[in-house]
Amino acid sequence: MASGERPLHEVNFLTVAEVATVMRVSKMTVYRLVHSGELPAIRVGRSFRVPEQAVHDYLRESYVGRETA
C-alpha cells in the first residue's frame, strides 16, 4: 500500500446516485466522468461505486477560483 492510501475497509464508497447528489449534477454526468476516467470507480456487478475521497478530490481540483502556487 502506497503512503497516504487508506486500507480498503476504511474507504467509503458512494453509488452513482449519491455522487450525483453530492455534486448536484445528473447521474448521466457522473457516468460520463466515470467512463472518461476523470472520476475513479470500481464496478460491482452492473453498477459503479466511487470512493468518497475521489469525489472530494475531483471537486477540489476542479474549483475555478483556485490559484496554483
Side-chain angles (χ1 to χ4, degrees):
M1 180 169 32
S3 65
E5 288 185 15
R6 294 175 11 187
L8 278 179
H9 69 277
E10 292 180 6
V11 176
N12 187 25
F13 289 98
L14 303 175
T15 64
V16 167
E18 291 170 331
V19 173
T21 300
V22 168
M23 294 178 70
R24 293 184 174 207
V25 297
S26 71
K27 291 192 295 186
M28 185 54 64
T29 298
V30 177
Y31 282 118
R32 285 186 192 118
L33 291 170
V34 168
H35 287 291
S36 71
E38 292 181 67
L39 194 60
I42 60 168
R43 190 163 203 136
V44 179
R46 294 178 55 192
S47 61
F48 290 98
R49 297 292 185 271
V50 180
E52 185 176 26
Q53 188 61 47
V55 175
H56 296 297
D57 292 345
Y58 176 82
L59 291 173
R60 188 178 310 107
E61 291 168 8
S62 299
Y63 190 75
V64 174
R66 180 178 163 184
E67 291 185 26
T68 55

